[in-house]
Amino acid sequence: MAILEWLRDPHAPRVCVVSGDERCGKSLFLAWLAEQATRPDVVMERRVHGLVPLAGHSALAASWLLAEQLGSAARTPGDLVAAVAADRRRTVIILPDLHHAASPEAVEELICALARFEHVRLIVETREVPAGLSALAPAVMDLRAAQWRDEERYAVWAASAQSSEPDAPPGSQQAAPDLDDPRSVCGVDPVQVTALYEFSADPHGGLRAAWLRAGGALTRPCSPAERALVLWAALGDDADPRLVNELQTLACGAGWTVCWKRVRGDISPPWPGPALGLGVGAGETAGSVAVVDHQGIVRLIEAEGGQAQGRLPQAVPGATAVAFGRDGGLAVLDGFGRLSLRESPTVPRSAGIASLLETEAKPLERLVAGVEDSATAVACAGDAVAYGNGAGTVQVVMLDGDTIAVTHEALHKGAVTGLAGLELAEGGTLIYSGGQDGRVRMWAPGRAPLATALRERNCAVTALSAAATPDGPVLVIGWEDGLVEYSAVEAEAAGRFFRPGAAVRSVAALENGNIMVGTNEMLVCLTPS
């Protein structure tokens, strides 16, 4: 087939348009192509990575579905274009039914933006080639031309084909959902709901904002209960208060219950800003959680209800991570990979003569002083500070009486992107690390690391946290594609999942079994149900 040769030709146009009406068999042809190009044994040059039928889709819904298939948590067409630009791997996308899209012009803009990149190939199916795509000088395969079909076999197929109107948009007879009713929007086609909300000016009691905030977590295959949970977590404080009870009821069976949440724009209680990093208090700061925002401001909130407890007096430029020591200090990692010590405002300070007599350095201060290399992630556990670097090595600085001991292990290919630590009851420390290589490793300093990864996926780890709960140690993993994974450390399979709909920036495992998930848009605390 000529289109397979087009896929293999590095000098061919980046866009191929398959045109004609349904009587030309476009749908059958693209179905065959998708089947051939997604087999496990297909050569790399012919592999298809994304397939989104555009009938009834807006540009936003198409972006969400493509992002999921490409392993991204992009929430807007612009986010998707940026994600594809950053990932230089070859990417082939099939987009049928452009002429039946809910907003063809906006989808064309998305296609044109993606076509700018040399590593992207797009196969677009439409009735006629629109002007926007013509400007790209695409390869055109008009299936109405005799060269693309066997006339005798085509006549037999056309005689047996259904006599319904050609090119009728799929699902065009479906009743429109009630956009004010949570049960209705959670139970129908999410692509249709997305298009209706995108072009609506009515807030619909707050459901519209929550739906658009949650993004691709709603259009991916999931149950109505899971959609209700995601909407519940994304609901703003200005929403109709009756929606909370309705969504809570609908979310039964989703595996989680929302304890509390803060989303962008919330006033009472206020949203703490993008949660780029979370640190769970220990010892004197137990019950507190530190939240790092995009301006390097570190705020303290209560883990139980999210109420504000104060903030550090000075911002840490480019701060990306924070970890509590058991003495109440905070180790903050800045944008240059430097680790610095800060004092928590929730810990009482000595005054007067007592403060003058305190000349000995605190444990966390000594540990932070022992960190000499540039770091990409940090965690505290007992009398140890762990940090990772861009080469995949994890180093642990530990107090050994009056001395500092340092041990290290190469655990990842690429940068270490997340760290968590657990102090064992019988003594010793467990370190969990996640990396750009999509692996989560476990290591006890002083021993050889496990030969196999605890978890492994085809996308990077973005955040990691561990806690010792009454039911045993648990691990929470944030992945680059927006998945949050919660599991018992000793279990072979993951226990629960959650997708907030945006890129996961931070996670926190709490000792009572709850978890916190931070994104650029929200901070939510969940409890297993």
Side-chain angles (χ1 to χ4, degrees):
M1 275 294 187
I3 199 165
L4 296 181
E5 297 306 317
W6 170 80
L7 283 173
R8 299 187 66 175
D9 185 355
H11 304 294
R14 295 169 194 165
V15 178
C16 178
V17 178
V18 179
S19 62
D21 57 36
E22 283 304 310
R23 288 169 294 194
C24 298
K26 290 181 304 175
S27 298
L28 293 175
F29 171 71
L30 289 176
W32 170 85
L33 176 62
E35 180 182 0
Q36 296 297 313
T38 55
R39 294 182 306 175
D41 59 342
V42 71
V43 296
M44 182 184 68
E45 292 84 357
R46 292 182 175 180
R47 178 168 294 280
V48 168
H49 307 92
L51 169 62
V52 175
L54 294 173
H57 289 48
S58 64
L60 188 61
S63 297
W64 292 350
L65 292 169
L66 272 178
E68 181 194 353
Q69 296 176 27
L70 299 179
S72 168
R75 291 185 58 253
T76 66
D79 290 343
L80 176 65
V81 171
V84 172
D87 187 344
R88 302 300 298 177
R89 292 177 295 179
R90 177 181 171 84
T91 303
V92 179
I93 300 169
I94 299 179
L95 299 171
D97 294 323
L98 173 61
H99 51 286
H100 285 320
S103 53
E105 295 81 7
V107 176
E108 282 182 51
E109 290 182 11
L110 174 61
I111 293 170
C112 293
L114 293 172
R116 298 199 312 262
F117 308 119
E118 294 183 359
H119 61 287
V120 174
R121 293 292 182 272
L122 295 137
I123 302 172
V124 183
E125 182 264 317
T126 185
R127 184 181 299 158
E128 301 290 344
V129 183
L133 296 189
S134 294
L136 298 176
V140 178
M141 187 176 182
D142 189 342
L143 294 184
R144 289 168 296 195
Q147 71 187 88
W148 300 116
R149 67 183 184 224
D150 182 304
E151 291 295 344
E152 293 183 3
R153 296 176 66 184
Y154 171 74
V156 173
W157 173 80
S160 62
Q162 295 182 355
S163 59
S164 58
E165 180 185 353
D167 262 0
S172 57
Q173 302 302 319
Q174 293 181 0
D178 182 353
L179 299 182
D180 296 313
D181 180 11
R183 184 177 298 275
S184 179
V185 299
C186 290
V188 300
D189 179 12
V191 170
Q192 182 186 17
V193 175
T194 300
L196 292 172
Y197 274 140
E198 183 177 359
F199 301 123
S200 174
D202 190 320
H204 298 286
L207 282 176
R208 178 182 182 273
W211 188 281
L212 298 180
R213 181 178 292 118
L218 298 167
T219 52
R220 61 178 299 275
C222 60
S223 67
E226 291 173 309
R227 286 198 185 97
L229 174 69
V230 174
L231 275 177
W232 181 11
L235 206 63
D237 67 352
D238 59 346
D240 187 330
R242 293 171 295 183
L243 291 176
V244 173
N245 291 334
E246 294 178 41
L247 290 170
Q248 182 177 4
T249 301
L250 292 172
C252 289
W256 297 98
T257 297
V258 177
C259 297
W260 56 264
K261 56 189 172 55
R262 305 287 184 269
V263 304
R264 182 185 292 272
D266 278 1
I267 297 175
S268 180
W271 176 58
L276 303 188
L278 293 172
V280 181
E284 296 184 62
T285 57
S288 296
V289 175
V291 184
V292 179
D293 73 6
H294 63 299
Q295 296 178 320
I297 298 173
V298 181
R299 293 179 172 84
L300 279 295
I301 62 173
E302 291 183 7
E304 185 175 348
Q307 291 82 5
Q309 292 183 318
R311 53 179 280 185
L312 298 189
Q314 293 182 334
V316 181
T320 57
V322 61
F324 271 105
R326 74 162 107 214
D327 59 7
L330 283 165
V332 184
L333 182 63
D334 68 17
F336 299 99
R338 300 174 301 200
L339 203 59
S340 59
L341 181 66
R342 299 288 192 274
E343 292 294 330
S344 169
T346 62
V347 176
R349 298 183 182 182
S350 303
I353 296 178
S355 65
L356 298 176
L357 297 176
E358 291 182 352
T359 57
E360 186 176 351
K362 292 183 178 181
L364 185 59
E365 185 179 356
R366 296 175 59 196
L367 292 171
V368 170
V371 175
E372 298 179 350
D373 300 329
S374 177
T376 56
V378 63
C380 294
D383 291 326
V385 167
Y387 65 100
N389 63 24
T393 299
V394 176
Q395 302 193 53
V396 179
V397 182
M398 298 173 290
L399 288 179
D400 185 9
D402 293 332
T403 62
I404 297 289
V406 180
T407 184
H408 61 86
E409 194 74 40
L411 298 175
H412 297 276
K413 295 180 180 179
V416 178
T417 53
L419 282 172
L422 277 181
E423 186 178 15
L424 303 177
E426 61 273 17
T429 301
L430 280 180
I431 301 298
Y432 302 94
S433 60
Q436 283 183 333
D437 56 4
R439 294 179 178 180
V440 177
R441 304 287 302 272
M442 182 173 70
W443 171 47
R447 300 181 183 179
L450 291 180
T452 58
L454 286 179
R455 300 287 183 268
E456 185 171 0
R457 297 183 67 226
N458 192 30
C459 63
V461 174
T462 58
L464 207 60
S465 184
T469 73
D471 297 324
V474 298
L475 184 66
V476 183
I477 311 167
W479 297 94
E480 187 179 34
D481 63 352
L483 177 69
V484 176
E485 183 177 340
Y486 169 95
S487 63
V489 171
E490 300 170 355
E492 293 184 0
R496 300 172 191 271
F497 300 96
F498 175 71
R499 288 181 182 269
V504 178
R505 301 300 187 191
S506 57
V507 295
L510 306 179
E511 292 184 352
N512 61 359
N514 293 351
I515 70 169
M516 293 172 61
V517 179
T519 75
N520 286 344
E521 298 284 334
M522 71 173 74
L523 178 62
V524 59
C525 181
L526 304 168
T527 186
S529 61

